[in-house]
Every structure is written in structure tokens, then in C-alpha cells.
Amino acid sequence: MESTLLPRFRADLESFASSSSSFRVVDTVPSPPIYPPKTVHVLDSSFNPPTQAHLRIALSALHSNAPKPQRLLLLLATQNADKAPKPAAFEHRIAMMRLLAQIVQNEYTTTSGRSARGIGADQPVAIDVGITKNPYFHDKAIGIEDSGFYADPETGDQPLQVHLLGFDSLIRLLDTKYYTPEHTLAPVGALLGKHRIRVTRRTEEGNKWGTEEEQDRPREELAKGEREPEGGRREWAQSIEMVPGEGDAISSTRVRESANSGKWDDVNKLVGRRVREWIEEYQLYKESVAKG
């Protein structure tokens, strides 16, 4: 296993915490490419742990018709608006994100039929593992851009960011309670006014979010101007792509409970072999560890 990475990622986290930066890439699979991307797909999650659902969302985005060349950013917020940093330590999550990056790279190579190479470029599609101090989507988009990490070194042009969200995250994005003190949607313009979001609908039977038509309603409300009194803009609807989910939803809580109970066959189905091996080796979600 790649246990030697843990001290490095721990040092990266400490350095990042004490810096003035709000965004940093800590690893890239494979080695950093030389070409600037036209699109950066941003998969932002707590990765506690990474699951097969993350894999499906990432592969679906890479196979979309977004402008090429493209990159994928797996992004972990070290400050989260809703979740405390437990039970798995951040360095373990980053290590598992790196495993996920390798899995996505391998799967994309197999399914793309073109050695996972970006159109118009002679380098493999790069998958970055990044961390951010920003808990909100619009601030994350600003932090990524302000870092200059993805800018064209010759022109300074910034790529299109496509943030990959689940439907529940779309609801949070458009909830004014997060945008204090004015409680307006105006800050969302930093994301939807300049970049895009790709929202995966919840399609599992009995999900609490409703039918496909019901899940499309937040986008329609924007398009019809129904959110204008709250600061929403009609044109933002054009920056929202709704896509169907594939397979059953995977709850991270279910993964952690299965790991705590030693149901490793179940964990394997939910997260894949390599992530399962990491969880099992370090006993990440055992109650004694989680409480410590």
C-alpha cells in the first residue's frame, strides 16, 4: 500500500493550513501535463470515503461533450459548511482520493478507446487531487481561478469549470440560508454566471427528491424568473445541466457502517477493491478509531 504518502499529505495539510492560499493541488495522476485545459471538471466531496458513485460521476463527466483538452479535479474542503472533519483524517481521505484518481484514469483509458488522451493534446487526461479552505461552491470556483493553476501560461486565459453536483448539492447551492448576512442568491453568480454545473439526478426507487420532473424544477424556477426576488438570474439556468443517475445511490454512512461491522464484501461493492483495502488496512471506520 501507499502508506509512505501519509506523512507527505499530512505535511501538505499543515503547510496549507498556515498559508494564505485558499486552494492547492497536492497531487496529480499521472505527472502534471504540459498543456492548459479548456475544461476542468470539479468533483467536490467529503470523500469519506470515495465510492463507486464518485467513480461513475467522474467518468460520465469525462465522456461528456465539454470542450477539450480537459482535466478532472477531485476537491476536498478542509472546512465544510455542514460537516465536521470526522471520522477519517484528512490525510487518509487524500490518499483514498489519489487511489480514486488512479482508478478513474484506468477506467477512462479502457472505456474511451483512445488511451485517455485529450483531443488535440498528446498527454493523458490529468486528474488532480486538491484541497480548499472554502466551504461554499462559489468561493471554491473563485479560489481555483485566483490560484492561476489552470490558466494558460501564454494568454492567461482561464478554463471553463464544470462543477459536478448531486441533486442534494444543487438544493444547497440555491438555498439562501447559506449566504449571510443578506440571504440572497447573488453570490452564486460567481459560479453560474461564469462556469457551469452538471447535476446528477437521484434515480433510485423511493428517493426523497422525487421524479425527474420534480428534480428539474429548481432549474426551471430560475429560467422562469421565480428566484429573481432572491437575487437569482434567469440566465443561470443555461449553466445547469441535469443528467440521469446511473445505478443505486451509495451512502457514505452505509459504507462506514459496513466497515465498522467488518462486512468487507459489502464495502468492496460500494467502494471498489483498492479503496476497500485501504479502509481495511487502517481500520478507518471502526468505532474505536472514529471516537478517538
Side-chain angles (χ1 to χ4, degrees):
M1 304 298 283
E2 298 172 271
S3 58
T4 56
L5 293 172
L6 288 175
R8 187 187 115 195
F9 290 147
R10 194 174 297 115
D12 285 337
L13 285 162
E14 292 173 355
S15 171
F16 180 62
S18 62
S19 74
S20 60
S21 301
S22 65
F23 166 73
R24 179 180 296 179
V25 169
V26 296
D27 207 350
T28 299
V29 176
S31 58
I34 61 173
Y35 62 88
K38 296 291 185 183
T39 302
V40 177
H41 303 282
V42 183
L43 180 50
D44 169 31
S45 177
S46 60
F47 295 106
N48 195 22
T51 70
Q52 295 289 78
H54 293 119
L55 174 62
R56 291 196 297 264
I57 291 171
L59 289 173
S60 176
L62 290 173
H63 284 297
S64 70
N65 60 357
K68 308 294 192 297
Q70 60 183 339
R71 288 175 77 152
L72 171 66
L73 169 63
L74 304 177
L75 185 63
L76 172 68
T78 55
Q79 297 180 32
N80 189 292
D82 289 320
K83 299 176 183 178
K86 61 180 184 181
F90 284 137
E91 59 264 30
H92 278 284
R93 297 195 212 177
I94 294 172
M96 290 188 288
M97 289 163 68
R98 187 177 191 273
L99 291 175
L100 175 62
Q102 294 171 337
I103 295 166
V104 172
Q105 180 66 235
N106 291 337
E107 290 284 337
Y108 184 61
T109 299
T110 301
T111 58
S112 68
R114 52 188 171 88
S115 301
R117 294 184 181 276
I119 296 174
D122 58 359
Q123 294 287 327
V125 170
I127 304 175
D128 301 307
V129 175
I131 49 180
T132 178
K133 295 174 183 173
N134 296 317
Y136 300 112
F137 292 109
H138 65 285
D139 285 331
K140 291 170 185 174
I142 294 171
I144 292 169
E145 187 166 317
D146 287 350
S147 74
F149 185 84
Y150 295 109
D152 188 312
E154 295 184 0
T155 66
D157 291 344
Q158 293 279 353
L160 171 71
Q161 296 179 30
V162 179
H163 290 247
L164 311 178
L165 277 61
F167 180 75
D168 51 339
S169 294
L170 174 64
I171 296 301
R172 290 198 299 273
L173 174 69
L174 298 178
D175 190 336
T176 57
K177 78 176 184 181
Y178 292 107
Y179 308 116
T180 56
E182 291 84 5
H183 295 286
T184 170
L185 290 176
V188 179
L191 175 59
L192 295 183
K194 194 170 188 178
H195 301 291
R196 298 180 190 170
I197 61 175
R198 193 170 196 264
V199 182
T200 300
R201 299 187 190 95
R202 300 293 292 267
T203 57
E204 68 274 14
E205 185 176 352
N207 81 82
K208 67 178 181 179
W209 303 111
T211 64
E212 178 177 314
E213 291 75 18
E214 289 172 324
Q215 292 181 58
D216 288 347
R217 193 167 296 156
R219 181 182 183 277
E220 293 174 358
E221 289 173 350
L222 280 173
K224 293 177 181 178
E226 296 177 14
R227 303 298 302 271
E228 286 183 343
E230 301 166 277
R233 305 289 295 271
R234 293 172 186 257
E235 59 267 27
W236 291 353
Q238 300 175 15
S239 299
I240 302 175
E241 179 186 9
M242 305 295 297
V243 298
E246 299 178 11
D248 294 333
I250 297 177
S251 163
S252 294
T253 300
R254 180 183 170 193
V255 177
R256 295 192 293 268
E257 289 175 347
S258 296
N260 182 54
S261 301
K263 297 178 180 178
W264 297 114
D265 287 343
D266 290 346
V267 175
N268 204 75
K269 294 175 183 177
L270 297 171
V271 303
R273 176 183 60 81
R274 296 186 67 189
V275 174
R276 186 267 300 163
E277 288 175 346
W278 187 278
I279 295 171
E280 186 173 7
E281 177 174 346
Y282 290 97
Q283 296 291 289
L284 293 184
Y285 301 114
K286 284 294 183 182
E287 286 186 358
S288 58
V289 175
K291 292 178 180 178

